[in-house]
Amino acid sequence: MEVMRHASTFLLPSSSPPTGDGPALTYALVVLNQRLPRFAPLLWSRAQLRVCADGGANRIYDGLPELFPDQDPLDVRLRYKPDVIKGDMDSIRDDVKEFYSNLEVKIVDESHDQDTTDLHKCVAFVCNSIPDPEKSNLCILVVGALGGRFDHEVGNINVLYRFSNIRIILLSDDCLIYLLPKTHRHEIHIQSSVEGPHCGLIPAGAPSTSTTTTGLQWDLTDMGMSFGGLISTSNIVCGAKVTVRSDSDLLWTISIRRAN
Amino acid sequence: MDSIRDDVKEFYSNLEVKIVDESHDQDTTDLHKCVAFVCNSIPDPEKSNLCILVVGALGGRFDHEVGNINVLYRFSNIRIILLSDDCLIYLLPKTHRHEIHIQSSVEGPHCGLIPAGAPSTSTTTTGLQWDLTDMGMSFGGLISTSNIVCGAKVTVRSDSDLLWTISIRRAN
């Protein structure tokens, strides 16, 4: 079984030297309609493509100047200009839409498509925008997918399952989440200056009959997991590397350290 | 007792609030311990009418949120409702047909049905904008999110335990 490597190196300060952990990836950023995490500017700087989903444009417009209170809001907004705004267009404010439209940001109205979530539409758009050779190195960072209405959160998590062959990472101020497909053995290279120690493994879609890990305080050895039974939450990472192997798709989640 | 502040602990201790230290038990979440305590505190005849309302279970760390949702599954015979400013969540056990009487002055219209633990092969609903008729639901496939309640009552019948979630209206 092939190994899939993961490393949250995108959370390291931009000036950090390459760690050698994990593959070199091309990042895209999707901004959904929740309060921006404090490290949003760092993710923006890592991404080659930045997409706002509908009300996510409001969050960029309002939230980025708030993260740079000493700077002129207009300067900040010009610097943090998304490439595309996409979605239902039922949350974006008129003044925000006009501002970005005047900057010639592409605005794509998808209100005719009620069958897929805003995140799904944005992920599909990003995939279509990246040429094939680079797709295997694509990693989509998503902010604003967690918290708020629970059905929205679940709809967003389901996008990870529906696009299980694409690296998609949901991020909040408190934690990050991504899918560990059952098709691979996983190596997670912990960036302990920015993440951990709290972590978990969650069989969201279906029970797991057998999951085996290394590198956790409470490692699993050929253990079954399910809702109603055992789920690995409030676990702790020990050391530099966690490995996971399972017969079921699992969600990996790890806490993000608050900057001091 | 690893999060409660010293001054807070002292304040309530002085009011003779019972303070029970469970730090020896690392196998269950705080919510699990509290639900077990509440159940033990209620005399048997009243247990069937018990409903435990929980605040603070959602948001924050995702593994905490999931651990709390798992408590709904582990105590599936007890009514437990998780609440936040934005929504509420409770379990609809597959053992019953469910009638949800919508209190439209305080909740809705956004709602969802979520097969968190295992796929559902067949779920049927009435009262939703996008009703399900003998429909399968699973992660990776269809999950009923961003649905809308239409009218006073929603009914749900499923071959799998489902989470029901509905938005809570902001006060004007």
Side-chain angles (χ1 to χ4, degrees):
Chain A
M1 186 181 277
E2 239 185 271
V3 172
M4 188 173 172
R5 289 182 180 79
H6 312 267
S8 306
T9 48
F10 54 87
L11 282 175
L12 299 174
S14 307
S15 51
S16 305
T19 62
D21 290 338
L25 297 172
T26 301
Y27 293 100
L29 177 66
V30 174
V31 182
L32 301 179
N33 193 6
Q34 299 280 344
R35 193 178 171 76
L36 294 178
R38 66 195 178 285
F39 48 79
L42 174 62
L43 302 185
W44 191 282
S45 71
R46 295 283 191 191
Q48 293 179 18
L49 181 62
R50 297 107 173 189
V51 181
C52 289
D54 195 5
N58 300 338
R59 300 292 177 169
I60 293 290
Y61 184 88
D62 295 332
L64 276 164
E66 276 170 23
L67 291 172
F68 297 97
D70 300 333
Q71 295 180 29
D72 178 74
L74 180 60
D75 283 345
V76 176
R77 287 175 183 136
L78 293 175
R79 217 160 73 226
Y80 290 92
K81 190 180 81 155
D83 298 297
V84 179
I85 298 172
K86 197 171 178 24
D88 288 350
M89 302 305 151
D90 59 1
S91 298
I92 186 173
R93 287 199 320 260
D94 289 338
D95 62 311
V96 172
K97 191 170 173 185
E98 190 181 339
F99 178 83
Y100 289 116
S101 176
N102 290 341
L103 293 178
E104 290 175 11
V105 172
K106 204 159 71 168
I107 298 183
V108 183
D109 188 325
E110 298 268 17
S111 50
H112 57 276
D113 177 1
Q114 289 294 319
D115 287 340
T116 56
T117 63
D118 280 347
L119 177 58
H120 186 124
K121 292 178 179 71
C122 290
V123 167
F125 172 81
V126 169
C127 290
N128 289 341
S129 305
I130 303 284
D132 271 341
E134 291 173 47
K135 269 206 208 350
S136 54
N137 291 331
L138 173 63
C139 179
I140 304 179
L141 306 174
V142 184
V143 296
L146 307 174
R149 266 171 45 196
F150 183 65
D151 69 310
H152 273 169
E153 185 175 293
V154 170
N156 291 330
I157 287 167
N158 197 30
V159 171
L160 306 186
Y161 282 77
R162 294 184 90 165
F163 289 87
S164 57
N165 59 330
I166 309 274
R167 293 176 185 263
I168 305 171
I169 307 182
L170 308 184
L171 294 121
S172 75
D173 268 318
D174 298 294
C175 65
L176 58 83
I177 307 171
Y178 52 86
L179 189 74
L180 302 178
K182 62 189 176 192
T183 45
H184 290 70
R185 287 188 299 124
H186 297 277
E187 283 185 12
I188 304 168
H189 298 264
I190 304 298
Q191 310 303 310
S192 54
S193 62
V194 293
E195 63 183 354
H198 307 285
C199 62
L201 281 163
I202 294 133
S208 157
T209 322
S210 172
T211 297
T212 299
T213 69
T214 65
L216 301 176
Q217 181 154 342
W218 291 282
D219 269 320
L220 305 171
T221 305
D222 191 26
M223 185 79 90
M225 289 203 291
S226 66
F227 276 79
L230 170 81
I231 296 182
S232 182
T233 64
S234 296
N235 211 329
I236 303 273
V237 296
C238 303
K241 188 168 86 174
V242 169
T243 70
V244 182
R245 167 186 236 147
S246 180
D247 66 343
S248 191
D249 294 333
L250 299 177
L251 294 173
W252 163 255
T253 182
I254 188 165
S255 55
I256 292 178
R257 293 189 186 276
R258 303 239 151 211
N260 288 331
Chain B
M1 296 300 150
D2 60 1
S3 299
I4 185 172
R5 288 198 323 259
D6 289 339
D7 62 310
V8 172
K9 191 169 171 185
E10 188 182 342
F11 177 84
Y12 288 115
S13 176
N14 290 340
L15 292 179
E16 289 175 14
V17 173
K18 202 159 74 170
I19 299 182
V20 184
D21 188 328
E22 300 266 16
S23 49
H24 56 277
D25 177 1
Q26 290 292 319
D27 286 341
T28 55
T29 63
D30 281 348
L31 176 58
H32 186 123
K33 293 179 176 71
C34 288
V35 167
F37 172 80
V38 168
C39 291
N40 290 339
S41 306
I42 304 284
D44 270 341
E46 291 172 44
K47 268 207 207 353
S48 55
N49 291 333
L50 173 64
C51 179
I52 303 179
L53 308 174
V54 185
V55 296
L58 306 174
R61 266 172 45 196
F62 183 65
D63 68 309
H64 272 169
E65 186 175 291
V66 169
N68 290 330
I69 287 166
N70 197 31
V71 172
L72 305 186
Y73 282 79
R74 295 185 86 166
F75 290 87
S76 56
N77 58 330
I78 309 273
R79 293 177 188 263
I80 306 170
I81 307 181
L82 308 183
L83 294 119
S84 75
D85 267 320
D86 298 292
C87 65
L88 59 81
I89 306 171
Y90 52 87
L91 189 73
L92 301 178
K94 64 187 175 192
T95 44
H96 290 72
R97 288 187 297 123
H98 298 277
E99 283 184 11
I100 303 167
H101 298 264
I102 305 298
Q103 309 304 308
S104 54
S105 61
V106 293
E107 63 182 354
H110 308 285
C111 63
L113 281 163
I114 294 132
S120 155
T121 322
S122 172
T123 297
T124 299
T125 69
T126 65
L128 300 176
Q129 182 156 341
W130 291 281
D131 270 320
L132 305 171
T133 305
D134 191 27
M135 185 82 89
M137 290 203 291
S138 66
F139 277 79
L142 171 80
I143 296 182
S144 182
T145 64
S146 296
N147 212 328
I148 303 273
V149 296
C150 303
K153 188 168 87 172
V154 169
T155 70
V156 182
R157 166 187 237 149
S158 181
D159 65 342
S160 189
D161 294 332
L162 299 177
L163 294 173
W164 164 257
T165 182
I166 187 165
S167 55
I168 290 177
R169 293 191 186 274
R170 304 238 151 211
N172 286 331

